[in-house]
Each structure stands twice: as structure tokens, then as C-alpha cells.
């Protein structure tokens, strides 16, 4: 039986919340994030995007692209609250909700609490309710698997609703630029373009064994998705085991001041990521790869969940100090991750199969 999957994605989420709450930001190029030298853009308004400002961009670079860019400090508690509001709307329709971040989720509405046979109408209603209850817009994608639903939600942003029916899927996928395929990142896409693979159509000309040879196990997945096959389930209690970030430096870092500065910057990005995924944990792990390619990890588990930049920085600094045993150290990569995760949005199904949310 064909499934009915919806992917909902809030439009420029953090930035839109700021523009909603502060009229002076409306219609202006706005970045949510730190304006300082080491700051990073967490989200950009559509006005800012027209200047090429993007999330994850260094604030310095963003300001160069758009000198009149306004910076707003992130208010993650507010975003988390809006996130709860939209999730509550999703649960009116189905318990099969898989959040990907605060502002994004998959819903399987093949069977749903409203007995509505039309996933398109459900998506429309959800968008409408989100607008009524939060004054924000979302884009929705509707299709028969996760890959296509996600592609669809991105297709007519902002405030879009795109449906890809089984009959439309083949053409849709053939026309798709390869960067848009699930799991094809920037580097793989560049490699593919060098091989004259630019669209789904080109990708489909490759045999399974060729894809495996070039791209490993992931290549097998490409083989399936380019044919519209994606059997991944919508899994509500997706248990993430750890969340981390790592960075290979453009050049190896030799001096301790540089190394600690790099760590501080990494912690900043890491804390933003934790906030984006609305999670944290009790175990912090620092990974170090030396110029010799020798790699070590050092961990510390604390009694209470790790929260806030200061605590995370202090702990990772301690781990780094312990890991560096002599002065002439040389490092090519640093990574930080948190495990032993604490999930604020655990979904529990009780004996009556009633869904209760542990918010
Ligand atoms: Mg979004």
C-alpha cells in the first residue's frame, strides 16, 4: 500500500519568529546569531537571503555580503515554545511524527486521527492552523515517501504546498539537481558534476555496481531514491545517541593560544547545534586528531545535563588541557560531542496506547 507522508518545514524559522515579535525587523535583512567577530548566522530572513546571507555563515562574511544586516540575539526558549505549539498541531492528526529539528518534521498520515483520506488537505489544514496559532508560515511537501516529501516542502518556499504524486515522481526526480538528493552533500555533488552527473536523469543512467564503486554504500541508496524508492519509516522516537560537531582546520594549529581559540569557536557552534536539536546530555567528549593523524578522545560525565556555553567550554577546556601533554603539540582536527542524551521531547506510549508528551 502506498504511504502518505508529509514534511513540514517552518519558513526561515528563527528569523521569522524575531520578525513576528519585533516589528522593527520586518521587511529588513535580519540574521539571528552573534554579531561579533566569531559569531555565526543561525538563521537568515528572506530579505537577508537575497544578499546571499545563509545560516551557518560566519557573521563577518554575512556583513560583508550585506552591510546593513541587522543581528538579533537568538531566543531559543521562544523557538522551543513555538516548536511545541506546532508539534501539538501535528499530533492532532497522527502519532507518527518524526521531528528533525525544532522547525521540521515528517508525518505519516496514511492512517490518521481525522480519517481524512487526503494528505494534501491535511497539509493545507496544518499550514492554516500553524498560521492561526503562531502567525508564522510553514511549507509543506506531500508524497509517498520521506525523500520526496522533503524535496517537495523545499520546492515552493516560503509558504508553499507541493504535492508529488506517484505519477509525477519520475519526471520530478529526473529534473532535480543532484545537490537536492538525500545524502548528496556539497563534496559529493562536486564530484558528480565532474563526472557530468548534473540531474536525477543523469544519475539514473548509472548502474548499481557503478554507484557502489564510486560512492560506497551510500551509492546503493542513491540508486533507490533516484527511482523514487525510499522505504525509511517515519519513526516517532528516533533515539539519537549523540550529537557532535568537528572541524578540520585549514592548516594545523601549533600554538596553544590558537588551539584554545579554535576550541572556543567550536563550542559556540556546538551549543547552537544543541539548541537547534533541542537536546543535551550528560557526557561530553572531546576528540583530537594530531598532525601525525593519531587520534584521541577524552570524555567527562557530569551529574546534571550540560547546559550553557560557559559550562561546556569549561569542561572541554579541562579535557583539552589534560589531553595535551607537551608544549609542542600540533593539531589538525578538534571535535566535541555530547552523549548520554537527555531528550526533552520523549514520546511515551502508555498501556492504553494513548500518546502522552513529556514536555
Ligand atoms: Mg525551516
Amino acid at each position: 500500500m502506498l504511504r502518505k507522508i508529509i514534511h513540514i518545514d517552518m519558513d526561515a524559522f528563527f528569523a521569522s519568529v524575531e520578525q513576528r515579535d519585533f516589528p522593527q525587523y520586518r521587511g529588513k535583512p535580519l540574521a539571528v546569531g552573534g554579531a561579533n567577530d566569531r559569531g555565526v548566522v543561525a538563521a537568515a530572513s528572506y530579505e537577508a537571503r537575497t544578499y546571499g546571507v545563509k545560516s551557518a555563515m560566519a557573521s563577518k562574511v554575512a556583513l560583508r555580503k550585506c552591510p546593513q544586516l541587522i543581528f538579533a540575539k537568538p531566543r531559543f526558549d521562544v523557538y522551543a515554545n513555538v516548536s511545541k505549539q506546532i508539534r501539538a498541531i501535528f499530533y492532532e492528526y497522527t502519532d507518527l511524527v518524526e521531528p528533525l529539528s525544532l522547525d521540521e518534521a515528517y508525518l505519516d498520515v496514511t492512517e490518521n486521527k481525522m480519517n481524512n483520506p487526503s494528505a494534501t488537505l491535511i497539509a493545507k489544514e496544518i499550514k492554516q492552523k500553524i498560521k492561526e496559532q503562531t502567525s508564522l508560515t510553514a511549507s509543506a511537501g506531500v508524497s509517498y515517501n520521506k525523500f520526496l516529501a522533503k524535496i517537495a516542502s523545499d520546492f515552493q518556499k516560503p509558504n508553499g504546498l507541493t504535492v508529488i504524486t506517484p505519477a509525477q515522481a519520475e519526471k520530478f526526480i529526473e529534473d532535480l539537481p543532484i545537490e537536492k538528493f538525500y545524502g548528496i552533500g556539497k563534496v559529493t555533488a562536486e564530484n558528480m558534476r565532474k563526472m557530468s552527473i548534473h540531474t536525477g536523469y543523469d544519475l539514473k543512467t548509472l548502474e548499481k555496481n557503478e554507484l557502489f564503486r564510486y560512492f560506497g554504500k551510500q551509492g546503493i541508496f542513491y540508486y533507490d531514491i533516484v527511482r523514487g524508492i525510499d522505504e525509511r519509516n517515519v519513526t516517532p522516537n528516533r533515539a539519537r545517541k549523540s550529537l557532535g560537531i568537528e572541524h578540520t582546520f585549514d592548516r594545523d594549529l601549533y600554538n596553544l593560544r590558537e588551539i584554545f581559540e579554535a576550541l572556543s569557536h567550536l563550542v559556540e557552534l556546538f551549543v547552537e547545534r544543541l539548541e537547534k536539536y533541542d537536546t543535551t546530555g550528560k557526557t561530553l567528549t572531546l576528540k583530537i586528531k594530531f598532525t601525525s593523524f593519531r587520534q584521541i578522545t577524552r570524555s567527562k560525565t557530569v551529574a546534571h545535563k550540560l547546559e550553557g556555553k560557559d559550562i561546556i567550554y569549561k569542561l572541554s577546556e579541562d579535557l583539552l588541557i589534560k589531553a595535551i601533554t607537551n608544549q609542542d603539540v600540533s593539531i589538525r582536527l578538534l571535535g566535541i560531542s555530547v552523549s548520554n542524551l537527555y531528550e526533552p521531547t520523549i514520546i511515551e506510549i502508555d498501556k492504553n496506547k494513548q500518546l502522552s508528551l513529556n514536555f
Side-chain angles (χ1 to χ4, degrees):
M1 190 182 66
L2 223 46
R3 292 179 297 161
K4 294 169 188 168
I5 312 290
I6 302 176
H7 180 255
I8 302 274
D9 187 12
M10 300 296 286
D11 300 320
F13 184 48
F14 299 169
S16 302
V17 172
E18 296 307 319
Q19 290 183 320
R20 175 194 73 176
D21 295 350
F22 300 98
Q24 66 268 34
Y25 294 154
R26 290 179 201 159
K28 302 263 171 64
L30 177 78
V32 176
N36 60 350
D37 243 24
R38 331 237 351 182
V40 172
V41 175
S45 71
Y46 283 96
E47 295 84 356
R49 290 179 192 196
T50 61
Y51 292 88
V53 176
K54 286 182 201 160
S55 57
M57 184 177 268
S59 300
K60 262 203 289 200
V61 176
L63 265 173
R64 221 177 294 141
K65 289 184 182 279
C66 177
Q68 69 273 46
L69 186 65
I70 304 169
F71 281 88
K73 255 181 84 179
R75 296 179 301 147
F76 287 105
D77 52 330
V78 178
Y79 312 146
N81 274 326
V82 178
S83 183
K84 281 176 203 171
Q85 278 181 290
I86 63 169
R87 280 182 202 172
I89 296 170
F90 303 155
Y91 291 120
E92 289 176 26
Y93 294 86
T94 177
D95 294 340
L96 290 179
V97 175
E98 180 180 337
L100 298 177
S101 61
L102 286 181
D103 74 320
E104 225 184 295
Y106 289 113
L107 285 69
D108 185 330
V109 296
T110 315
E111 285 173 32
N112 60 77
K113 297 178 189 177
M114 305 288 193
N115 289 320
N116 187 338
S118 166
T120 309
L121 287 180
I122 292 176
K124 219 179 211 168
E125 278 182 27
I126 288 176
K127 273 166 55 70
Q128 212 167 349
K129 286 185 186 176
I130 289 176
K131 179 79 188 165
E132 282 163 13
Q133 293 178 29
T134 71
S135 307
L136 297 165
T137 62
S139 293
V142 181
S143 197
Y144 56 92
N145 63 40
K146 285 164 100 173
F147 165 63
L148 288 168
K150 190 157 163 66
I151 295 292
S153 75
D154 194 42
F155 198 64
Q156 298 182 75
K157 262 183 163 298
N159 201 12
L161 170 59
T162 305
V163 182
I164 305 177
T165 65
Q168 295 162 335
E170 188 176 355
K171 173 90 175 81
F172 206 97
I173 296 169
E174 283 181 353
D175 291 344
L176 211 58
I178 40 136
E179 289 81 6
K180 296 273 182 186
F181 281 85
Y182 178 85
I184 299 187
K186 225 177 127 188
V187 176
T188 309
E190 269 168 34
N191 288 334
M192 285 188 175
R193 287 197 179 268
K194 278 181 205 147
M195 297 162 69
S196 296
I197 304 167
H198 304 287
T199 62
Y201 182 87
D202 302 329
L203 188 59
K204 213 157 74 174
T205 61
L206 294 181
E207 299 292 339
K208 207 178 222 176
N209 58 7
E210 288 178 289
L211 282 166
F212 183 72
R213 185 145 37 89
Y214 297 133
F215 307 107
K217 235 170 92 184
Q218 194 68 10
I220 306 288
F221 190 69
Y222 302 156
Y223 183 87
D224 285 340
I225 52 171
V226 80
R227 285 161 180 79
I229 300 165
D230 175 8
E231 306 287 0
R232 289 174 302 153
N233 286 322
V234 174
T235 42
N237 42 1
R238 200 168 63 121
R240 191 190 272 282
K241 290 204 181 84
S242 70
L243 185 69
I245 186 168
E246 60 178 53
H247 186 70
T248 304
F249 304 107
D250 297 337
R251 53 178 183 83
D252 294 354
L253 304 184
Y254 298 98
N255 93 41
L256 288 176
R257 192 182 52 86
E258 261 186 344
I259 293 169
F260 282 96
E261 265 179 28
L263 181 70
S264 155
H265 185 53
L266 198 65
V267 167
E268 197 160 316
L269 292 171
F270 177 57
V271 169
E272 273 165 22
R273 182 164 296 186
L274 287 179
E275 278 158 351
K276 175 156 190 192
Y277 286 92
D278 194 14
T279 189
T280 185
K282 291 183 177 176
T283 303
L284 190 77
T285 300
L286 179 74
K287 173 173 159 186
I288 304 172
K289 200 188 266 178
F290 297 99
T291 298
S292 63
F293 279 85
R294 187 170 72 94
Q295 183 177 306
I296 59 167
T297 56
R298 294 287 180 268
S299 297
K300 170 108 183 141
T301 299
V302 295
H304 301 286
K305 58 187 167 127
L306 292 157
E307 253 174 338
K309 200 158 66 184
D310 295 343
I311 287 188
I312 292 175
Y313 182 68
K314 179 77 182 65
L315 270 180
S316 31
E317 200 183 38
D318 288 349
L319 291 170
L320 182 61
I321 289 167
K322 276 184 203 143
I324 294 176
T325 45
N326 61 50
Q327 288 290 311
D328 34 71
V329 67
S330 171
I331 288 177
R332 54 179 283 115
L333 172 147
L334 278 179
I336 316 172
S337 62
V338 66
S339 52
N340 207 342
L341 291 189
Y342 162 88
E343 283 280 353
T345 51
I346 295 166
I347 295 159
E348 294 173 339
I349 298 172
D350 72 19
K351 291 182 199 95
N352 305 319
K353 297 262 184 223
Q354 283 294 323
L355 200 76
S356 63
L357 294 175
N358 200 6
F359 282 133

